[in-house]
Structures are given as C-alpha cells and as structure tokens.
Amino acid sequence: AQSVTQPDIHITVSEGASLELRCNYSYGATPYLFWYVQSPGQGLQLLLKYFSGDTLVQGIKGFEAEFKRSQSSFNLRKPSVHWSDAAEYFCAVGATEYGNKLVFGAGTILRVKS
Amino acid sequence: DTGVSQDPRHKITKRGQNVTFRCDPISEHNRLYWYRQTLGQGPEFLTYFQNEAQLEKSRLLSDRFSAERPKGSFSTLEIQRTEQGDSAMYLCASSPPGLGETQYFGPGTRLLVL
C-alpha cells in the first residue's frame, strides 16, 4: 500500500533563512508526487508536482522539490522564507491504480520567526 | 476562472442528525474526489467519481455515508445518524482525466457534531 511520511511535525525558521521540508514515500511503481500548502481553515493549494522527467521541479512562490528515487524522497525547499509562507505543508503520492487518489502525509507546520 | 466550491463552509449538528454537503467541481473536470481531514492529520481519501460513476470507496466510508454525483457535475456527501467521531473537515477536489493530473481542492466543509 502507498504511504507518505513527513518526519517533522513542526519546523520553525527565521524569515530570510532557507527551508527544507522532508517527505518519504512508499509506492511500488513510479510515483506521481505532489506538495500542497494549507493555510488555517482553508483548502489545499498545489505548490508543485513531479510527474516524470527532470527530477528537480519548480513550483509557485519560489518553492522547488527534488525527486530522489534511490532515497524514496521528495523534499521541498525554498532558499529564503517569507513570513507569508507560514502554513501547513502536505506531501502526497498519487495512486494511479485508483483514479489518481492521493495519499497524504500527516503534514508539517511551518512557523516563521521575524 | 471558477474553482471548486463547497457548501456549507461550516456545519454544527447534534449527534444523530443527518447532514448533507455539496461540492461543485471545476466545470470541465470529470473526476471528483471526497477526502476527510481530522485535526493534525493529512486528508484521507473517501471516494471518487468519474463522471456520474462512483468508482471507488474507502473503508473509511461506513454505511452511514453516501455520496452521489447524479449528472456528472456537482456531488453531494450525506452522513446519516452523525456521531462525534464524524467531526472533521470534508474536502472536495476535482481533476481532469489522465494520469498524474492535479487535483484542485475546494475550501472544505468543517463539520462539528455535538
């Protein structure tokens, strides 16, 4: 069965510092991988996705993620965090056998110190 | 561009009552998904439709839950005889057909069962 692990429940970074959020997945085939962001009381917004091809994926708001098959990882990065990035971030894997249902990790809450 | 909409945004009900939520997907999307998100967790898949056909249901979807998408456009999720454990955010998403397509999420319906 597919699964996603986000090892960090909370991360606090200073504004302007770099950020890396970790994501490990378990899936038998080539995965489709996604990062979503959720602000309090809101739905989820797609930041970026990996479908195939270049393993370094660029997304919105200056985020990028790198797919590493050997490590089963899809970590999210941003070189300089802004206060408005404070939110909860979810990594997900798409299960193609079931109409692309998404299996989500438990999320990482990002706090930004000014 | 109209995104995914959900109604109501908030619902408070007493245990044992029935509730119904509505989701309007992006108009050209033929796939529609329902997820449930409890506090501190990532969204969990409940069910998905391709056009009007319900193609998969999670084990999370007990007999008290029913979902419909009668004309392949909007969808409803009904919970009968609500229990306190049903308190959660119910998220709807839609996507075009095809592998790895992005799911676009609505703002969610937050249910509180007293």
Side-chain angles (χ1 to χ4, degrees), chain B residues 51-102:
Chain B
N51 300 311
E52 65 276 8
Q54 187 174 19
L55 296 186
E56 192 193 355
K57 293 193 294 185
S58 163
R59 291 178 308 221
L60 292 175
L61 215 63
S62 76
D63 293 345
R64 297 183 296 105
F65 287 69
S66 63
E68 295 183 342
R69 194 183 183 196
K71 297 182 179 179
S73 56
F74 73 92
S75 175
T76 58
L77 178 68
E78 182 183 16
I79 309 174
Q80 295 182 327
R81 305 181 302 283
T82 52
E83 302 173 356
Q84 289 184 326
D86 297 331
S87 296
M89 173 81 92
Y90 290 84
L91 293 164
C92 176
S94 69
S95 80
L99 294 177
E101 289 291 342
T102 298

Side-chain angles (χ1 to χ4, degrees), chain A residues 84-97:
Chain A
S84 61
D85 294 324
E88 190 162 17
Y89 292 79
F90 293 94
C91 180
V93 61
T96 56
E97 301 90 344

Side-chain angles (χ1 to χ4, degrees), chain A residues 32 34 36 38 41-46 49 51 88 90 96-107, chain B residues 9 31 33 35 37 40-43 45 48 56 89 91 98-108 110:
Chain A
Y32 302 99
F34 304 81
Y36 284 86
Q38 185 177 37
Q42 302 298 313
L44 285 81
Q45 180 184 22
L46 179 74
K49 71 177 185 183
F51 181 80
E88 190 162 17
F90 293 94
T96 56
E97 301 90 344
Y98 302 112
N100 294 337
K101 75 173 184 181
L102 295 177
V103 176
F104 285 86
Chain B
R9 293 290 306 276
R31 287 182 174 172
Y33 305 79
Y35 293 84
Q37 184 179 23
Q41 299 297 317
F45 171 80
Y48 114 89
E56 192 193 355
M89 173 81 92
L91 293 164
L99 294 177
E101 289 291 342
T102 298
Q103 292 182 27
Y104 295 87
F105 283 80
R110 183 168 294 283

